[in-house]
């Protein structure tokens, strides 16, 4: 299983910063590496993330939308933002 690629240097921890949930079509990006760390400020700019998706084998939904969440904590209970990605 391939993970999420940070293509433009969004400020994330070196490892373990993304979670990819295929069934829910959800990508979570953590901005901290531990619960004790204070979340970083994301500098203004454009950032690209890349990840592979799996298409259904027999039935394709009419709308194929994924959700991308930026999280301030590791459990993702404190969200910076959630946005739909087509």
């Amino acid at each position: 299983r391939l993970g999420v690629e940070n293509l433009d240097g969004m400020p994330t921890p070196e490892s373990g910063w993304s979670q990819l949930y295929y069934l829910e079509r959800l990508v979570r990006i953590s901005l901290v590496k531990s619960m004790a760390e204070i979340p970083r400020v994301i500098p203004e700019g454009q950032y690209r993330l890349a990840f592979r998706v799996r298409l259904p084998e027999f039935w394709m939904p009419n709308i194929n939308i994924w959700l991308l969440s930026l999280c301030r904590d590791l459990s993702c209970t404190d969200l910076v933002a959630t946005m739909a990605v087509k």
Side-chain angles (χ1 to χ4, degrees), residues 2-6 17-20 27-29 49-51:
L2 296 173
V4 180
E5 292 179 73
N6 185 350
W17 54 270
S18 67
Q19 297 84 40
L20 189 54
V27 179
R28 287 185 176 165
I29 305 300
L49 301 168
F51 57 95

Side-chain angles (χ1 to χ4, degrees), residues 13-73:
E14 285 186 34
S15 63
W17 54 270
S18 67
Q19 297 84 40
L20 189 54
Y21 301 95
Y22 284 104
L23 293 178
E24 295 86 0
R25 293 194 303 246
L26 173 65
V27 179
R28 287 185 176 165
I29 305 300
S30 299
L31 302 176
V32 295
K33 60 183 169 190
S34 73
M35 294 299 275
E37 187 177 342
I38 296 173
R40 305 174 199 195
V41 173
I42 301 173
E44 184 177 329
Q46 294 183 355
Y47 300 100
R48 293 177 302 147
L49 301 168
F51 57 95
R52 291 180 182 249
V53 300
R54 286 189 268 174
L55 297 175
E57 189 173 338
F58 299 107
W59 177 79
M60 181 66 179
N62 291 336
I63 300 173
N64 188 18
I65 296 178
W66 284 67
L67 294 177
L68 173 67
S69 295
L70 299 178
C71 308
R72 284 192 176 110
D73 61 4

